[in-house]
Amino acid sequence: MAATSIFKFITTVATTHTIHRSLAATSYSQKFCLKLHQKSFAGYSRTMTTGASCVRETEGDLFGAPKDHSLAHCVAADLKMGGGIAVKFKQVFGKVDDLKAQKIGVGGVAVLRDPPRYVYYLVTKNSSYQKPTYADLRKSLEAMREHMAANGVGKLAIPRIGCGIDGLEWDKVKEMLNSVFGEEDTGDGGKYEIVVYNFVPK
């Protein structure tokens, strides 16, 4: 009987010890996972809050922007420019045949020289009757950025591109502008400055 009791006692102690070790391991595992989650969330928060902003909005006439600011707007590959602010660009700068001669497709950018600046025509769709996609707008913006970097252009004045008759959402387009230009330099170590004019003259 004594031997049996001793055996039961030893078994109970061993089982209790195993349970305690298991609980301790579980607690450690939970704490470790919690720390990983906290680190991951902190990293995500930093990513969300450290993006550089190069876009500034203002009220006024886009065509009254300082001459050291190049201009840009969206067009179709057919270059009809029959609606929205494109009509004003066509009236002011003309040279539609020069633009057509460049034969720029969707996702590219046609360029006119208006010393001392450039005028950019972001080709975001094939036909004037179509709507652009965010993907094609981004490609055109990246093409424009390449030209700007190669030609020392750091300042740009634009309307709310793609958000008039083209129907894109300004918050998404603004975020895209900051993504394309905010983390890049102008080629000479400077930063891009994009001024958005919210008033479109009639």
Side-chain angles (χ1 to χ4, degrees):
M1 290 293 292
T4 301
S5 298
I6 292 172
F7 177 76
K8 288 182 178 180
F9 175 76
I10 293 173
T11 301
T12 300
V13 170
T15 301
T16 302
H17 181 66
T18 300
I19 292 172
H20 285 169
R21 288 182 61 186
S22 177
L23 289 173
T26 300
S27 177
Y28 175 80
S29 177
Q30 289 174 338
K31 290 179 181 179
F32 180 73
C33 290
L34 178 60
K35 288 182 179 179
L36 284 179
H37 174 74
Q38 290 172 335
K39 288 182 179 180
S40 176
F41 182 78
Y44 174 78
S45 297
R46 286 194 297 271
T47 300
M48 292 296 290
T49 58
T50 57
S53 176
C54 61
V55 178
R56 175 172 62 87
E57 296 188 59
T58 188
E59 300 296 325
D61 183 352
L62 172 64
F63 297 95
K67 287 290 186 178
D68 63 344
H69 284 62
S70 290
L71 304 179
H73 72 121
C74 293
V75 296
D78 60 23
L79 291 166
K80 290 184 177 180
M81 292 184 279
I85 198 171
V87 174
K88 186 70 174 180
F89 271 87
K90 187 177 181 179
Q91 292 172 349
V92 173
F93 300 107
K95 299 183 180 179
V96 177
D97 288 339
D98 290 349
L99 292 169
K100 289 182 177 179
Q102 296 177 37
K103 297 180 180 179
I104 304 299
V106 175
V109 60
V111 186
L112 289 181
R113 183 69 167 147
D114 180 46
R117 63 186 175 185
Y118 292 92
V119 183
Y120 295 102
Y121 295 74
L122 302 164
V123 182
T124 58
K125 55 188 180 181
N126 275 309
S127 169
S128 297
Y129 301 102
Q130 295 175 326
K131 298 294 183 184
T133 66
Y134 290 101
D136 287 333
L137 174 59
R138 186 181 185 93
K139 290 176 184 176
S140 291
L141 290 173
E142 290 172 344
M144 178 172 65
R145 185 191 64 201
E146 290 181 7
H147 184 279
M148 291 171 66
N151 291 275
V153 179
K155 296 180 179 181
L156 187 69
I158 60 173
R160 287 191 172 191
I161 53 174
C163 299
I165 58 177
D166 279 341
L168 299 182
E169 296 179 23
W170 171 238
D171 286 346
K172 293 181 180 179
V173 173
K174 184 176 181 179
E175 182 180 356
M176 186 185 298
L177 286 166
N178 280 317
S179 173
V180 172
F181 291 96
E183 299 295 339
E184 301 290 332
D185 61 49
T186 58
D188 57 3
K191 293 297 181 182
Y192 290 103
E193 177 187 338
I194 300 176
V195 182
V196 180
Y197 285 78
N198 290 325
F199 170 71
V200 179
K202 296 181 180 179

